[in-house]
Amino acid sequence: LDAQIQNLKDKQDAFKSLSQNATNEELKAKAQDIKQAWKSAKEAATQIIHQLSSNKLVKASEKLEALAQKLTAVSAKLKEKGIDTANLDARIEELKTQVEAAKNASANAIDKKSLNQAKKDLKNAVEKAKEAVKELKTANKGKVQVGNETD
C-alpha cells in the first residue's frame, strides 16, 4: 500500500511539473496516469480491509469453536450423572456445523459479498451458541459446575 501511495504522489508531482506550454494530450495523459494510480491504490486498500475483516471473523469463529468444545465436555459430565443430554447434544452439533460454515466462509472471504456471507454465517453460529447454552442451563439446573459458576 505504501508503494501504491508513493506511486500516486510521484504521478501527482509529474503532473504538477508540467510546464505552462503543455498540450492537452500531455495533460490528459498525466491525468490518466494519476487516475490509474489512484484506482490501483484504492483496490490495494480495499483488499487489505477485506483481509483484516476476514481475520477478525476467523478469530470469532475460533472462539465459538472453543465454546462448542467446552459445551461438549459439560455434556459428557451431565451424561455421567445420568442426565438426558439428547437436546443439548443436538444443539451442540448444530453449533459445530454452523461454526464450521462460518470459519470456512471467513477464511475464504475475499470481497464484500463473501465477507457479508461470512458475517451472516457467524451471526447464525452465535445464535446456535445461545441456543446451546440455554439448553445446557435447562439440562444442568445446578447439577454440574460449569467454569466458575453453578447454574
Side-chain angles (χ1 to χ4, degrees):
L1 187 59
D2 290 335
Q4 302 277 340
I5 292 171
Q6 185 59 46
N7 184 32
L8 181 59
K9 287 180 181 178
D10 292 344
K11 301 285 183 186
Q12 287 175 329
D13 291 342
F15 184 79
K16 289 177 185 176
S17 69
L18 285 177
S19 69
Q20 297 285 346
N21 301 334
T23 65
N24 280 343
E25 289 80 28
E26 289 173 329
L27 290 173
K28 284 181 183 179
K30 293 295 182 185
Q32 189 63 28
D33 286 348
I34 292 172
K35 184 177 179 181
Q36 287 292 26
W38 177 250
K39 183 178 179 184
S40 179
K42 184 178 173 184
E43 288 172 359
T46 299
Q47 287 215 300
I48 290 169
I49 290 168
H50 287 159
Q51 186 61 45
L52 291 172
S53 296
S54 175
N55 290 345
K56 267 180 114 173
L57 293 172
V58 167
K59 289 192 184 296
S61 297
E62 289 170 351
K63 287 181 181 181
L64 286 171
E65 194 171 43
L67 174 63
Q69 290 173 350
K70 288 179 184 178
L71 290 172
T72 301
V74 172
S75 177
K77 287 182 183 179
L78 289 172
K79 280 182 192 170
E80 289 175 7
K81 300 272 185 182
I83 298 169
D84 179 24
T85 61
N87 289 339
L88 175 58
D89 291 340
R91 297 283 188 214
I92 292 171
E93 285 308 310
E94 290 173 2
L95 171 60
K96 287 179 179 179
T97 300
Q98 196 61 48
V99 166
E100 190 63 30
K103 195 172 180 182
N104 289 337
S106 299
N108 296 321
I110 57 171
D111 58 12
K112 191 172 185 174
K113 183 178 178 182
S114 58
L115 276 173
N116 286 338
Q117 181 61 47
K119 287 177 186 178
K120 181 180 175 186
D121 288 345
L122 186 63
K123 185 176 180 180
N124 289 339
V126 168
E127 289 304 315
K128 295 295 180 187
K130 288 178 182 179
E131 291 172 10
V133 169
K134 185 177 179 182
E135 188 63 40
L136 170 65
K137 288 180 180 181
T138 301
N140 188 11
K141 294 182 184 158
K143 297 172 184 145
V144 176
Q145 185 170 348
V146 180
N148 294 333
E149 304 175 10
T150 54
D151 288 327

mmCIF file of all heavy atoms in Angstrom, residues 50-62 99-111 114-115 117-119 121-122:
data_model
loop_
_atom_site.group_PDB
_atom_site.id
_atom_site.type_symbol
_atom_site.label_atom_id
_atom_site.label_comp_id
_atom_site.label_asym_id
_atom_site.label_seq_id
_atom_site.Cartn_x
_atom_site.Cartn_y
_atom_site.Cartn_z
ATOM 1 N N HIS A 50 -10.508 -6.001 3.465
ATOM 2 C CA HIS A 50 -11.190 -7.296 3.402
ATOM 3 C C HIS A 50 -10.405 -8.366 4.158
ATOM 4 O O HIS A 50 -10.999 -9.188 4.866
ATOM 5 C CB HIS A 50 -11.402 -7.719 1.953
ATOM 6 C CG HIS A 50 -12.459 -6.928 1.256
ATOM 7 N ND1 HIS A 50 -12.527 -6.846 -0.107
ATOM 8 C CD2 HIS A 50 -13.490 -6.186 1.707
ATOM 9 C CE1 HIS A 50 -13.545 -6.083 -0.458
ATOM 10 N NE2 HIS A 50 -14.136 -5.669 0.640
ATOM 11 N N GLN A 51 -9.086 -8.352 4.027
ATOM 12 C CA GLN A 51 -8.269 -9.345 4.725
ATOM 13 C C GLN A 51 -8.355 -9.161 6.239
ATOM 14 O O GLN A 51 -8.469 -10.132 6.976
ATOM 15 C CB GLN A 51 -6.809 -9.251 4.261
ATOM 16 C CG GLN A 51 -5.923 -10.335 4.832
ATOM 17 C CD GLN A 51 -6.353 -11.725 4.442
ATOM 18 O OE1 GLN A 51 -6.652 -11.975 3.296
ATOM 19 N NE2 GLN A 51 -6.389 -12.633 5.388
ATOM 20 N N LEU A 52 -8.314 -7.917 6.697
ATOM 21 C CA LEU A 52 -8.440 -7.650 8.134
ATOM 22 C C LEU A 52 -9.800 -8.106 8.659
ATOM 23 O O LEU A 52 -9.888 -8.725 9.718
ATOM 24 C CB LEU A 52 -8.224 -6.166 8.425
ATOM 25 C CG LEU A 52 -6.811 -5.632 8.224
ATOM 26 C CD1 LEU A 52 -6.787 -4.110 8.370
ATOM 27 C CD2 LEU A 52 -5.848 -6.278 9.202
ATOM 28 N N SER A 53 -10.845 -7.813 7.907
ATOM 29 C CA SER A 53 -12.190 -8.238 8.306
ATOM 30 C C SER A 53 -12.285 -9.754 8.339
ATOM 31 O O SER A 53 -12.864 -10.332 9.265
ATOM 32 C CB SER A 53 -13.239 -7.674 7.343
ATOM 33 O OG SER A 53 -13.257 -6.272 7.402
ATOM 34 N N SER A 54 -11.722 -10.389 7.345
ATOM 35 C CA SER A 54 -11.727 -11.849 7.285
ATOM 36 C C SER A 54 -11.011 -12.445 8.499
ATOM 37 O O SER A 54 -11.512 -13.385 9.126
ATOM 38 C CB SER A 54 -11.061 -12.321 5.990
ATOM 39 O OG SER A 54 -10.958 -13.720 5.957
ATOM 40 N N ASN A 55 -9.871 -11.879 8.849
ATOM 41 C CA ASN A 55 -9.121 -12.368 10.011
ATOM 42 C C ASN A 55 -9.925 -12.219 11.299
ATOM 43 O O ASN A 55 -9.888 -13.102 12.165
ATOM 44 C CB ASN A 55 -7.782 -11.638 10.135
ATOM 45 C CG ASN A 55 -6.815 -12.023 9.034
ATOM 46 O OD1 ASN A 55 -6.998 -13.012 8.337
ATOM 47 N ND2 ASN A 55 -5.791 -11.209 8.851
ATOM 48 N N LYS A 56 -10.634 -11.117 11.447
ATOM 49 C CA LYS A 56 -11.476 -10.908 12.630
ATOM 50 C C LYS A 56 -12.568 -11.967 12.712
ATOM 51 O O LYS A 56 -12.850 -12.509 13.778
ATOM 52 C CB LYS A 56 -12.140 -9.524 12.571
ATOM 53 C CG LYS A 56 -11.413 -8.428 13.258
ATOM 54 C CD LYS A 56 -12.170 -7.131 13.114
ATOM 55 C CE LYS A 56 -12.666 -6.655 14.435
ATOM 56 N NZ LYS A 56 -13.258 -5.312 14.359
ATOM 57 N N LEU A 57 -13.180 -12.260 11.573
ATOM 58 C CA LEU A 57 -14.249 -13.254 11.541
ATOM 59 C C LEU A 57 -13.712 -14.655 11.836
ATOM 60 O O LEU A 57 -14.378 -15.440 12.523
ATOM 61 C CB LEU A 57 -14.956 -13.222 10.179
ATOM 62 C CG LEU A 57 -15.745 -11.948 9.882
ATOM 63 C CD1 LEU A 57 -16.237 -11.950 8.442
ATOM 64 C CD2 LEU A 57 -16.910 -11.781 10.843
ATOM 65 N N VAL A 58 -12.524 -14.962 11.359
ATOM 66 C CA VAL A 58 -11.919 -16.268 11.648
ATOM 67 C C VAL A 58 -11.668 -16.399 13.148
ATOM 68 O O VAL A 58 -11.967 -17.440 13.746
ATOM 69 C CB VAL A 58 -10.607 -16.462 10.847
ATOM 70 C CG1 VAL A 58 -9.817 -17.654 11.363
ATOM 71 C CG2 VAL A 58 -10.912 -16.630 9.369
ATOM 72 N N LYS A 59 -11.148 -15.351 13.769
ATOM 73 C CA LYS A 59 -10.886 -15.394 15.212
ATOM 74 C C LYS A 59 -12.190 -15.568 16.008
ATOM 75 O O LYS A 59 -12.229 -16.325 16.975
ATOM 76 C CB LYS A 59 -10.140 -14.142 15.668
ATOM 77 C CG LYS A 59 -8.705 -14.106 15.197
ATOM 78 C CD LYS A 59 -7.916 -13.028 15.896
ATOM 79 C CE LYS A 59 -6.521 -12.916 15.367
ATOM 80 N NZ LYS A 59 -5.686 -14.062 15.574
ATOM 81 N N ALA A 60 -13.242 -14.895 15.594
ATOM 82 C CA ALA A 60 -14.535 -15.050 16.269
ATOM 83 C C ALA A 60 -15.049 -16.480 16.097
ATOM 84 O O ALA A 60 -15.578 -17.072 17.052
ATOM 85 C CB ALA A 60 -15.543 -14.046 15.716
ATOM 86 N N SER A 61 -14.859 -17.044 14.929
ATOM 87 C CA SER A 61 -15.266 -18.429 14.679
ATOM 88 C C SER A 61 -14.487 -19.387 15.574
ATOM 89 O O SER A 61 -15.051 -20.358 16.094
ATOM 90 C CB SER A 61 -15.043 -18.801 13.212
ATOM 91 O OG SER A 61 -15.835 -18.023 12.368
ATOM 92 N N GLU A 62 -13.211 -19.111 15.746
ATOM 93 C CA GLU A 62 -12.384 -19.967 16.603
ATOM 94 C C GLU A 62 -12.850 -19.910 18.054
ATOM 95 O O GLU A 62 -12.825 -20.922 18.761
ATOM 96 C CB GLU A 62 -10.917 -19.574 16.479
ATOM 97 C CG GLU A 62 -10.321 -19.956 15.137
ATOM 98 C CD GLU A 62 -8.937 -19.378 14.881
ATOM 99 O OE1 GLU A 62 -8.466 -18.527 15.676
ATOM 100 O OE2 GLU A 62 -8.329 -19.778 13.875
ATOM 101 N N VAL A 99 -20.549 -23.243 13.033
ATOM 102 C CA VAL A 99 -19.222 -22.666 13.264
ATOM 103 C C VAL A 99 -18.285 -23.059 12.121
ATOM 104 O O VAL A 99 -17.516 -22.229 11.628
ATOM 105 C CB VAL A 99 -18.643 -23.117 14.628
ATOM 106 C CG1 VAL A 99 -17.160 -22.823 14.719
ATOM 107 C CG2 VAL A 99 -19.383 -22.433 15.760
ATOM 108 N N GLU A 100 -18.367 -24.305 11.687
ATOM 109 C CA GLU A 100 -17.515 -24.747 10.576
ATOM 110 C C GLU A 100 -17.831 -23.962 9.303
ATOM 111 O O GLU A 100 -16.932 -23.534 8.580
ATOM 112 C CB GLU A 100 -17.698 -26.253 10.339
ATOM 113 C CG GLU A 100 -16.697 -26.834 9.387
ATOM 114 C CD GLU A 100 -15.261 -26.756 9.867
ATOM 115 O OE1 GLU A 100 -15.008 -26.780 11.092
ATOM 116 O OE2 GLU A 100 -14.364 -26.642 9.008
ATOM 117 N N ALA A 101 -19.128 -23.748 9.057
ATOM 118 C CA ALA A 101 -19.519 -22.957 7.883
ATOM 119 C C ALA A 101 -18.998 -21.525 7.994
ATOM 120 O O ALA A 101 -18.478 -20.963 7.024
ATOM 121 C CB ALA A 101 -21.037 -22.956 7.734
ATOM 122 N N ALA A 102 -19.122 -20.942 9.179
ATOM 123 C CA ALA A 102 -18.646 -19.567 9.394
ATOM 124 C C ALA A 102 -17.131 -19.487 9.254
ATOM 125 O O ALA A 102 -16.598 -18.547 8.649
ATOM 126 C CB ALA A 102 -19.071 -19.071 10.772
ATOM 127 N N LYS A 103 -16.443 -20.479 9.780
ATOM 128 C CA LYS A 103 -14.979 -20.484 9.717
ATOM 129 C C LYS A 103 -14.502 -20.599 8.260
ATOM 130 O O LYS A 103 -13.607 -19.873 7.840
ATOM 131 C CB LYS A 103 -14.440 -21.638 10.545
ATOM 132 C CG LYS A 103 -12.983 -21.559 10.859
ATOM 133 C CD LYS A 103 -12.595 -22.639 11.846
ATOM 134 C CE LYS A 103 -11.135 -22.581 12.175
ATOM 135 N NZ LYS A 103 -10.748 -23.647 13.086
ATOM 136 N N ASN A 104 -15.119 -21.490 7.510
ATOM 137 C CA ASN A 104 -14.752 -21.648 6.095
ATOM 138 C C ASN A 104 -15.071 -20.391 5.297
ATOM 139 O O ASN A 104 -14.267 -19.939 4.485
ATOM 140 C CB ASN A 104 -15.455 -22.855 5.479
ATOM 141 C CG ASN A 104 -14.902 -24.158 5.995
ATOM 142 O OD1 ASN A 104 -13.774 -24.239 6.457
ATOM 143 N ND2 ASN A 104 -15.715 -25.195 5.937
ATOM 144 N N ALA A 105 -16.251 -19.832 5.515
ATOM 145 C CA ALA A 105 -16.639 -18.617 4.794
ATOM 146 C C ALA A 105 -15.710 -17.461 5.150
ATOM 147 O O ALA A 105 -15.323 -16.678 4.281
ATOM 148 C CB ALA A 105 -18.090 -18.255 5.105
ATOM 149 N N SER A 106 -15.329 -17.365 6.412
ATOM 150 C CA SER A 106 -14.438 -16.285 6.850
ATOM 151 C C SER A 106 -13.055 -16.423 6.244
ATOM 152 O O SER A 106 -12.457 -15.445 5.797
ATOM 153 C CB SER A 106 -14.324 -16.286 8.378
ATOM 154 O OG SER A 106 -15.574 -16.064 8.968
ATOM 155 N N ALA A 107 -12.547 -17.636 6.231
ATOM 156 C CA ALA A 107 -11.203 -17.864 5.695
ATOM 157 C C ALA A 107 -11.147 -17.601 4.194
ATOM 158 O O ALA A 107 -10.103 -17.204 3.677
ATOM 159 C CB ALA A 107 -10.756 -19.284 5.993
ATOM 160 N N ASN A 108 -12.261 -17.802 3.516
ATOM 161 C CA ASN A 108 -12.291 -17.650 2.057
ATOM 162 C C ASN A 108 -12.879 -16.317 1.598
ATOM 163 O O ASN A 108 -13.076 -16.121 0.403
ATOM 164 C CB ASN A 108 -13.068 -18.803 1.427
ATOM 165 C CG ASN A 108 -12.393 -20.134 1.671
ATOM 166 O OD1 ASN A 108 -11.180 -20.239 1.628
ATOM 167 N ND2 ASN A 108 -13.180 -21.150 1.967
ATOM 168 N N ALA A 109 -13.173 -15.428 2.531
ATOM 169 C CA ALA A 109 -13.781 -14.146 2.181
ATOM 170 C C ALA A 109 -12.746 -13.242 1.512
ATOM 171 O O ALA A 109 -11.733 -12.897 2.115
ATOM 172 C CB ALA A 109 -14.344 -13.469 3.421
ATOM 173 N N ILE A 110 -13.019 -12.896 0.250
ATOM 174 C CA ILE A 110 -12.063 -12.076 -0.496
ATOM 175 C C ILE A 110 -12.683 -10.797 -1.043
ATOM 176 O O ILE A 110 -11.989 -9.945 -1.559
ATOM 177 C CB ILE A 110 -11.449 -12.870 -1.662
ATOM 178 C CG1 ILE A 110 -12.550 -13.384 -2.584
ATOM 179 C CG2 ILE A 110 -10.559 -13.977 -1.163
ATOM 180 C CD1 ILE A 110 -12.060 -13.993 -3.871
ATOM 181 N N ASP A 111 -13.992 -10.676 -0.941
ATOM 182 C CA ASP A 111 -14.653 -9.470 -1.432
ATOM 183 C C ASP A 111 -15.838 -9.159 -0.514
ATOM 184 O O ASP A 111 -16.099 -9.880 0.446
ATOM 185 C CB ASP A 111 -15.105 -9.638 -2.887
ATOM 186 C CG ASP A 111 -16.058 -10.804 -3.093
ATOM 187 O OD1 ASP A 111 -16.564 -11.361 -2.092
ATOM 188 O OD2 ASP A 111 -16.304 -11.156 -4.245
ATOM 189 N N SER A 114 -18.585 -11.983 -0.226
ATOM 190 C CA SER A 114 -18.196 -13.142 0.577
ATOM 191 C C SER A 114 -18.004 -12.765 2.051
ATOM 192 O O SER A 114 -18.276 -13.577 2.936
ATOM 193 C CB SER A 114 -16.950 -13.805 0.008
ATOM 194 O OG SER A 114 -15.867 -12.917 -0.054
ATOM 195 N N LEU A 115 -17.576 -11.542 2.322
ATOM 196 C CA LEU A 115 -17.489 -11.089 3.716
ATOM 197 C C LEU A 115 -18.867 -11.003 4.355
ATOM 198 O O LEU A 115 -19.050 -11.394 5.509
ATOM 199 C CB LEU A 115 -16.804 -9.720 3.802
ATOM 200 C CG LEU A 115 -15.292 -9.714 3.824
ATOM 201 C CD1 LEU A 115 -14.776 -8.296 3.736
ATOM 202 C CD2 LEU A 115 -14.760 -10.390 5.067
ATOM 203 N N GLN A 117 -21.454 -12.785 3.552
ATOM 204 C CA GLN A 117 -21.898 -14.156 3.785
ATOM 205 C C GLN A 117 -21.228 -14.719 5.033
ATOM 206 O O GLN A 117 -21.864 -15.383 5.840
ATOM 207 C CB GLN A 117 -21.602 -15.048 2.574
ATOM 208 C CG GLN A 117 -22.076 -16.483 2.754
ATOM 209 C CD GLN A 117 -23.579 -16.590 2.963
ATOM 210 O OE1 GLN A 117 -24.353 -15.977 2.243
ATOM 211 N NE2 GLN A 117 -23.988 -17.360 3.943
ATOM 212 N N ALA A 118 -19.951 -14.440 5.196
ATOM 213 C CA ALA A 118 -19.230 -14.913 6.378
ATOM 214 C C ALA A 118 -19.817 -14.305 7.653
ATOM 215 O O ALA A 118 -19.973 -14.990 8.661
ATOM 216 C CB ALA A 118 -17.746 -14.580 6.256
ATOM 217 N N LYS A 119 -20.154 -13.022 7.598
ATOM 218 C CA LYS A 119 -20.782 -12.362 8.753
ATOM 219 C C LYS A 119 -22.126 -12.997 9.073
ATOM 220 O O LYS A 119 -22.463 -13.210 10.238
ATOM 221 C CB LYS A 119 -20.964 -10.867 8.480
ATOM 222 C CG LYS A 119 -19.687 -10.074 8.519
ATOM 223 C CD LYS A 119 -19.939 -8.621 8.170
ATOM 224 C CE LYS A 119 -18.665 -7.831 8.063
ATOM 225 N NZ LYS A 119 -18.904 -6.427 7.670
ATOM 226 N N ASP A 121 -23.055 -16.098 8.370
ATOM 227 C CA ASP A 121 -22.791 -17.413 8.941
ATOM 228 C C ASP A 121 -22.339 -17.306 10.391
ATOM 229 O O ASP A 121 -22.741 -18.108 11.236
ATOM 230 C CB ASP A 121 -21.726 -18.151 8.124
ATOM 231 C CG ASP A 121 -22.236 -18.619 6.771
ATOM 232 O OD1 ASP A 121 -23.471 -18.625 6.568
ATOM 233 O OD2 ASP A 121 -21.399 -18.966 5.910
ATOM 234 N N LEU A 122 -21.507 -16.314 10.690
ATOM 235 C CA LEU A 122 -21.044 -16.121 12.063
ATOM 236 C C LEU A 122 -22.204 -15.731 12.971
ATOM 237 O O LEU A 122 -22.323 -16.226 14.090
ATOM 238 C CB LEU A 122 -19.941 -15.064 12.106
ATOM 239 C CG LEU A 122 -19.270 -14.877 13.456
ATOM 240 C CD1 LEU A 122 -18.553 -16.153 13.884
ATOM 241 C CD2 LEU A 122 -18.288 -13.737 13.405
#
